Amino acid sequence: MTGRFGPPRGSEGAPGDEPPPEDGSPPGTGPGRSRRSRLFAHLSLGARSVAGQVFALQAVLVLVLITAAATALFFQARYDSQRDARNRSLAAAEAFAHAPGLPAALESADPTAELQPLAEGARRASGVDFIAVMTTDGIRYTDSRPELIGHRATGDLSRAVAGQPFTETFEGKPSDVVRAVVPVRDSTGAVVGLVATGIEVANVGDGVEGQLPLLLGAATAALLLGTGGAFLVSRRLRRQTRGLGEAEMTRMNEHHEAVLHAVREGVLIIDAEGRLLLANDEARRLLDLPADAELRHVGELGLDPPTAALLASGRAATDEVHRAGDRLLAVNVRPTKPYGGRPTGTVTTLRDSTELAALSGRAAVARDRLQLLYDAGVRIGTTLDVVRTAEELSEVAVPRFADFVTVELLEPVLRGEEPGGGTHTEMRRAAICGIRAESPLQPVGDVIRFVVPTAPMATALDAGRAVLAANLNSAVGWRAQDRDGTRVALDYGLHSLISVPLQARGVVLGMANFWRADTPEPFDEEDLSFAEELAARAAVSIDNARRFTREHAVAVTLQRSLLPRVLPDLSAVDVAFRYLPAKAGVGGDWFDVIPLAGARVALVVGDVVGHGVHAAATMGRLRTAVHNFSTLDMPPDELLGHLDELIDRIDQDESSADEGAGDGESAGVTGATCLYAVYDPVSGHCAMASAGHPGPALVRPDGRVEYPELPIGLPLGVGGMPFEAVELRLPEASRLVLFTDGLLEDRDRDFDTGLALLTEALSRSDRSPDQACSDVLASLLFPAPSDDIALLIADTRRLPADRIAEWEVLPDPSDVSRVRRAGSAQLTEWGLGEVTFTAELILSELITNAIRYGTPPIRVRLLRDRTLICEISDGSSTSPHLRYAATTDEGGRGLFLVAQYAERWGTRYTDRGKVIWAELPLAGGAEPAPPAVVDLEALEDLAW
């Protein structure tokens, strides 16, 4: 069989088979012979191949499409040209009809003479073929053809006369035109004339015909490109089909069908709509498909619902096990690649895995157990609470491992103490959890006794490992322990038990019992190791919680011993406080109220970073240091500066000690803040300074809450920057509120939100300090605060003016007597005659020494508070010192006498000098007996 234009397809065309050339030259040597042979071979190959048939079809389709496109473009161009002519005509007519002066020209004696030049100029400028100005009857005043002037225009002009512009394709004399007619209106809006413009249809056609070469050229180019594209597609298809014809492709399809139906794995091809396109013989056998299954929806094939849902969903799957009758099939689903813009379908393979079912079940159980152990590691021990940890153990095992779980702990463990060794026969139930709320087991809080050695619980404790009682009906020891209770439990349905001791570091902490009731399968030997692993993890968490409980108790005890238990009763302030340690661990917050000389009082709050015993101990050291520094009567900023230096020295010393010890754990102060305020009830002034601590709240007598601007210095121990103090004048009956940041902020609330709540809680002015503390905690307290809370509320008072007496002292020893007599008179007026002698003695001594060793100005002030306070101030910063005078010394006994007669005495420095003060009791009972004869005048000559 020969080809259409050459040798048979597949033949190489031997030279001996070729006819000789007409010019007598040898075969295959004529000019262009090789090129023509290859071309004919390609054409022959393409004519019978699928690629050739596709090329012919595409070429015809391209020719038809291009012809249709060219025709459509021609008519579209004609339509566009006519539409453009209409738009241009209408625009020209509208422009001319609205030209200024046109109505007046129409009313003139000779409208043609005035309008004809204007119309011709407008026509040439706009590019239209004519512009005619007419009367409402259609009589032309102007026209591009002068012979038509004075003649009536043809056509229906009624719409324009009625005031409506319009366009039309007009067929008439002298030629067909695309015409637009627009009315001309005068100033009153009446139509006084018409303007008609137009373009002749012949001119429009000329424009379209001018585009024909371009359209034909574009069509020719598109034809060439389309034919070339079809050729390229056909060549690529010929390469992909390897030049196969219909017969060869049929044989290949038969081969593929044979292979597809011979494999021992089911194959399904499903389209995007869920219809079955192909199913091989194995798939029909595994799924028991009907003969007409193809092209039906998978939901109509009678498959198992989960299997049908998977096949219809189109989602990918790997070795999912589905049931098909009595078989278990491993199903794999993969999407097909999109082709020709069609939505993707899926190819599904099925494999009979019935024999692997048992193995898969065991693997699933093992996987679930591993997941349960992982969940136990995450869920057990989330809090450092012993009882809560026991509850978490019971909750994580129900219902995935047991139907009921009970946990018993030793009494010392519940208290956070170290459990003792030996045999444990009593424990307290700490947790119970089950699939139902009611159960026959003893409730939480009951004491559980193990009195029968053969009971599973006692055996597990004795052996130190888990014990299985697979059938509780035959567990004689368990039934003997409590015959009535065990009968109720058996009637309830409990039938299997595993008892596991909770051990950590080789010490028994308690017992965990796993029970089954509703689950029909009893526990087996494989469950023992899992129960031991679960209990071991829980035991470590319980031991950690126990140790934390012990440390927490120690820290709380230490902290409470270091904090003030009772605040001093002072005239300057009425104070109430609240202190709450954090639930997660005791921190280092503290507060204090320290009496100072001159009826003043110091209010202190502070916060040490961290929790635990170390933070509590650090807090105690700082509080002691503040007490010691306050006795020196320093200003707040200087006191914080000395405290900062002290902490820096402590850190350096302890860091050196830690490096020498090599334990890698520093016991230094990791950070601390402090707010120190001093209130003077005589002047009403309050001086305060802060070392990284939030400032106080000031509640004025009318209930307004303010937060004074206070320079917040660096925290203590940072060093390098001085502290800054501010002084406020407080109105009488003001309230100062000092607090730590744990009151305001937490994980779920920021500082500003807490400050707003505090302001609202303090706005009530009719509450006592103690009631105000309760209001603040009720508004701001967290259910489980993560930080300590210290709150100190002080209502300020002023010392009445009638309890204050002051005198200026001249720098002359003779003025001492005057001041002493004035002081004696004031004491008599106050009803303090019993202490008059002692007060005169102290005043004489202190005033004399101020005159002798001090500098002016010298002032004396008596304050009647809970004690009598004598203050002598001068402008010198020289500090007196108490000493023993020798028998040969002429002076040096003055301060000794003051110390003997006064309850307390001391010196405080001011900005411009010092104040020496002494306090005397208001009653004279404790006063030492005076000498038989005391010469007060002689005492004035005694030296310091």
Side-chain angles (χ1 to χ4, degrees), residues 372 390-408 429 431-444 457 469 472 478 488-500 511-521 523 530-531 534:
L372 180 55
E391 292 173 350
E392 290 170 344
L393 167 61
S394 63
E395 291 168 357
V396 78
V398 175
R400 296 161 66 181
F401 179 65
D403 296 332
F404 291 91
V405 176
T406 59
V407 181
E408 294 81 45
R429 180 147 293 168
I432 182 172
C433 183
I435 57 176
R436 293 191 294 274
E438 74 286 349
S439 72
L441 303 172
Q442 292 176 257
V444 172
M457 295 81 166
L472 291 178
W478 175 72
V488 174
L490 291 173
D491 293 341
Y492 184 83
L494 297 179
H495 61 82
S496 189
L497 165 68
I498 292 180
S499 295
V500 189
M511 166 75 63
N513 298 297
F514 303 92
W515 311 79
R516 279 187 178 174
D518 290 12
T519 303
E521 297 83 7
F523 290 114
F530 175 77
L534 188 61

Side-chain angles (χ1 to χ4, degrees), residues 624-641:
T624 302
V626 171
H627 264 277
N628 291 336
F629 287 134
S630 67
T631 59
L632 302 178
D633 231 325
M634 299 178 180
D637 53 339
E638 292 185 17
L639 184 142
L640 292 180

Side-chain angles (χ1 to χ4, degrees), residues 182 211 503 510 752 767 784 831 892 933:
V182 177
Q211 299 180 14
Q503 302 179 90
D752 293 336
R767 311 288 285 174
V933 178

Side-chain angles (χ1 to χ4, degrees), residues 357-628:
L359 180 60
S360 299
R362 290 193 295 271
V365 171
R367 184 172 60 252
D368 292 343
R369 293 291 171 84
L370 288 175
Q371 183 64 38
L372 180 55
L373 287 177
Y374 172 79
D375 293 343
V378 174
R379 294 175 55 185
I380 298 177
T382 58
T383 64
L384 292 174
D385 182 83
V386 174
V387 174
R388 179 56 193 154
T389 305
E391 292 173 350
E392 290 170 344
L393 167 61
S394 63
E395 291 168 357
V396 78
V398 175
R400 296 161 66 181
F401 179 65
D403 296 332
F404 291 91
V405 176
T406 59
V407 181
E408 294 81 45
L409 297 176
L410 295 171
E411 291 285 356
V413 175
L414 291 170
R415 297 192 300 267
E417 301 173 2
E418 189 76 22
T423 303
H424 304 288
T425 59
E426 284 189 5
M427 295 184 184
R428 189 171 296 277
R429 180 147 293 168
I432 182 172
C433 183
I435 57 176
R436 293 191 294 274
E438 74 286 349
S439 72
L441 303 172
Q442 292 176 257
V444 172
D446 277 14
V447 175
I448 310 300
R449 295 179 174 83
F450 313 114
V451 296
V452 179
T454 57
M457 295 81 166
T459 304
L461 289 172
D462 184 60
R465 56 180 176 79
V467 171
L468 168 66
N471 186 359
L472 291 178
N473 282 289
S474 59
V476 178
W478 175 72
R479 300 182 64 177
Q481 186 167 258
D482 181 7
R483 296 188 180 278
D484 295 335
T486 54
R487 173 48 55 193
V488 174
L490 291 173
D491 293 341
Y492 184 83
L494 297 179
H495 61 82
S496 189
L497 165 68
I498 292 180
S499 295
V500 189
L502 298 175
Q503 302 179 90
R505 299 177 293 108
V507 178
V508 174
L509 305 175
M511 166 75 63
N513 298 297
F514 303 92
W515 311 79
R516 279 187 178 174
D518 290 12
T519 303
E521 297 83 7
F523 290 114
D524 55 27
E525 294 293 335
E526 293 184 359
D527 296 323
L528 280 178
S529 59
F530 175 77
E532 287 183 334
E533 177 66 21
L534 188 61
R537 297 192 179 200
V540 173
S541 298
I542 290 174
D543 189 54
N544 290 337
R546 178 196 63 79
R547 297 168 70 180
F548 171 80
T549 301
R550 180 183 60 184
E551 181 179 347
H552 183 77
V554 172
V556 169
T557 302
L558 174 62
Q559 188 180 46
R560 294 194 182 281
S561 67
L562 296 175
L563 288 173
R565 298 187 179 183
V566 178
L567 297 181
D569 190 11
L570 302 173
S571 301
V573 291
D574 182 14
V575 183
F577 69 92
R578 294 290 188 276
Y579 182 84
L580 297 176
K583 295 296 183 182
V586 176
D589 292 13
W590 92 92
F591 64 93
D592 218 333
V593 179
I594 306 173
L596 300 178
R600 296 170 305 133
V601 61
L603 305 174
V604 191
V605 290
D607 185 3
V608 176
V609 175
H611 295 86
V613 175
H614 174 63
T618 302
M619 176 271 294
R621 298 165 75 178
L622 293 182
R623 179 170 177 256
T624 302
V626 171
H627 264 277
N628 291 336

